[in-house]
Amino acid sequence: MKKRFFVTSEPLSVEELAAEVTRPEAGAVVQFIGTVREFTQGRRTVYLEYEAYHSMAEKQLEAIGREVKERWPDAESAVGHRTGELKISDAAVVIAVSTPHRKDAYEANEYIIERIKQIVPIWKKEHWEDGEQWVGDQLEQTRYPDGAPGGGNSD
Amino acid sequence: MNKRGTQTGPREVEIVINVLCFAHMKDIFGGEKLTINSGGIATVEDVLEYLKATYDADISGIMTAVNEEFAEESTPVGQGDTVALIPPVSGG
């Protein structure tokens, strides 16, 4: 059986994830595609590297799916998250939610991405033209100095 | 989880703990996986103290998981358990 909540090093298919949740009962399918942004706080990203604690990350995505079911019993959801090196505009995460009516689908979809940024063990490393750094928290506001405390692998 | 030793001084029983390192933890510990073979380890806190002392590592502020479930410092660990060092996540 195909997983509905998965981590993969292969490119994500927006269509396949939509198909996972499309069904006769649904009047809305909302999809979120998280893509690699070129500029963050004025600094140019060359590529991003995503790493996951693969087995636990998939368990956590499934747990989020159960949370969605508790809050929106009529919702069906599917999530794929990519790992490895991603270029600008590549899809890092694709979330699909279907519900009978659109409002719930929008809300549940946003809920999922917020939870991913809280409880799913996946990390991204920024690679700039002149350095690299693991991103330090889900708010994308702080980074570890020198990429590694005591180590220093930038530049 | 295996039973711990029942003789007096069970904390002296040597156990093997697998430690997984992610993101910049790999840089700190020089690899993705460590094996601890030590006595005196009964909780996540003991594992963290062992790592701090052995590697002179600053691992404050990180979360942990034991066998793929988020853990507290008081969470018990035993023979063969896998403890993951989980820095603040940044997926999405």
Side-chain angles (χ1 to χ4, degrees), chain A residues 4-149:
Chain A
R4 274 210 184 174
F5 300 92
F6 61 91
V7 174
T8 178
S9 58
E10 300 295 317
L12 297 167
S13 166
V14 174
E15 291 77 14
E16 282 181 20
L17 277 144
E20 284 291 320
V21 300
T22 302
R23 59 207 159 102
E25 297 79 11
V29 175
V30 169
Q31 276 194 287
F32 172 80
I33 307 170
T35 55
V36 177
R37 181 174 53 235
E38 183 169 19
F39 285 94
T40 297
Q41 294 170 356
R43 200 162 184 193
R44 183 178 196 166
T45 296
V46 179
Y47 67 94
L48 287 183
E49 178 185 349
Y50 281 91
E51 176 180 299
Y53 183 2
H54 190 109
S55 53
M56 183 176 170
E58 290 191 337
K59 278 189 182 177
Q60 292 296 99
L61 290 174
E62 288 165 3
I64 293 171
R66 289 193 295 274
E67 292 177 9
V68 166
K69 269 287 183 192
E70 286 169 15
R71 287 167 172 75
W72 295 275
D74 293 333
E76 292 293 335
S77 53
V79 181
H81 201 300
R82 184 118 180 247
T83 56
E85 292 185 7
L86 275 71
K87 304 186 304 293
I88 305 303
S89 296
D90 280 351
V93 60
V94 176
I95 302 169
V97 178
S98 71
T99 56
H101 304 283
R102 67 182 179 280
K103 190 166 184 289
D104 284 347
Y106 276 114
E107 287 178 3
N109 197 297
E110 182 170 25
Y111 176 86
I112 291 171
I113 188 65
E114 297 300 333
R115 291 296 279 157
I116 286 173
K117 289 171 179 288
Q118 291 167 355
I119 67 164
V120 180
I122 296 176
W123 301 268
K124 70 179 161 195
K125 190 177 197 177
E126 288 267 11
H127 289 261
W128 299 291
E129 284 152 313
D130 60 349
E132 60 190 41
Q133 217 157 53
W134 286 105
V135 177
D137 68 33
Q138 66 272 36
L139 300 177
E140 301 177 22
Q141 287 170 346
T142 57
R143 295 189 175 83
Y144 296 104
D146 302 323

